[in-house]
Amino acid sequence: MKKILAMLMALVMLLTVLAACSTEKEEKASPYEVEAARVGDLSYTVADLNYMYVTDFYDLYNNLYYYYGDSIGDYVDQTKPLKEQDIGDGTTWHDYLMEYMENNLKYLSALYMAAKAEGFTLPEEYQQDLDSMQENLEAAAEEYGAPLEEYLTDVCGDGMTYDVLYKMTEINYIANAYAE
């Protein structure tokens, strides 16, 4: 009887520990939800910075394409990691992009915070874009043949969710509209 009671107690303790461990795992934030940067009062997660990295890369790439046209491949090779592509002075495209992203994040954040402090209201055309963003993304995801979250990850990078995309788009819209 003592052995059975001891085994039952051990089993109860084991189940309690397993339940606690599984609860802890569920409560932990995704690594993409961890704060990675702060500019003034604004906190940015890893996913937010992934968004900035991807959008800033395509902005830079499009600007380079404007100047170099089809010979852009001589400058940036999209088939190789940016960390492996030197731009001439020991700096890689990744290093350059990280600095560009940091400066852009500071600039957008400063404009966004100034706009908010002044009670700036987003112009109607920007607000309409934000209001229709989810519907447009869902249609694009359906055409792509994937659920929205999978589509966002494939297009925008790891950790991307609709909430992250909305937040970062809203910051961009407010900052740019305020700058205008």
Side-chain angles (χ1 to χ4, degrees):
M1 184 70 148
K2 286 184 182 181
K3 283 184 180 181
I4 292 174
L5 188 55
M7 286 175 30
L8 284 175
M9 290 294 285
L11 183 60
V12 168
M13 287 177 26
L14 177 64
L15 291 174
T16 303
V17 169
L18 289 174
C21 288
S22 91
T23 301
E24 283 180 25
K25 286 180 183 176
E26 289 173 14
E27 291 175 5
K28 286 186 180 179
S30 156
Y32 298 104
E33 296 171 353
V34 174
E35 182 179 293
R38 180 171 283 281
V39 180
D41 293 335
L42 295 176
S43 174
Y44 294 100
T45 65
V46 173
D48 297 335
L49 297 183
N50 281 353
Y51 167 89
M52 289 294 295
Y53 190 90
V54 169
T55 56
D56 285 348
F57 170 77
Y58 284 109
D59 285 346
L60 283 171
Y61 190 86
N62 288 333
N63 287 334
L64 289 171
Y65 188 82
Y66 176 79
Y67 289 107
Y68 299 110
D70 290 336
S71 65
I72 191 172
D74 296 340
Y75 301 95
V76 180
D77 183 349
Q78 287 193 12
T79 65
K80 294 181 183 175
L82 296 176
K83 288 181 179 182
E84 296 176 5
Q85 297 182 56
D86 188 78
I87 59 174
D89 60 355
T91 302
T92 65
W93 274 113
H94 171 77
D95 298 333
Y96 180 81
L97 186 57
M98 291 297 288
E99 184 176 333
Y100 180 88
M101 182 183 76
E102 179 182 349
N103 291 331
N104 193 24
L105 188 65
K106 288 176 184 176
Y107 174 75
L108 289 173
S109 297
L111 287 171
Y112 175 82
M113 288 184 291
K116 285 299 196 179
E118 289 183 22
F120 178 78
T121 303
L122 198 58
E124 187 61 32
E125 64 270 14
Y126 285 94
Q127 190 59 54
Q128 287 174 351
D129 281 351
L130 280 175
D131 292 344
S132 63
M133 188 166 76
Q134 184 166 6
E135 183 180 319
N136 293 337
L137 287 169
E138 287 172 350
E142 186 175 321
E143 188 174 313
Y144 183 76
L148 179 59
E149 296 299 319
E150 182 181 327
Y151 171 73
L152 291 175
T153 299
D154 289 352
V155 173
C156 303
D158 291 339
M160 186 53 57
T161 64
Y162 175 76
D163 290 340
V164 170
L165 187 62
Y166 188 93
K167 169 191 170 183
M168 296 305 291
T169 302
E170 182 179 42
I171 288 171
N172 273 293
Y173 279 9
I174 291 172
N176 289 317
Y178 181 73
E180 291 172 4

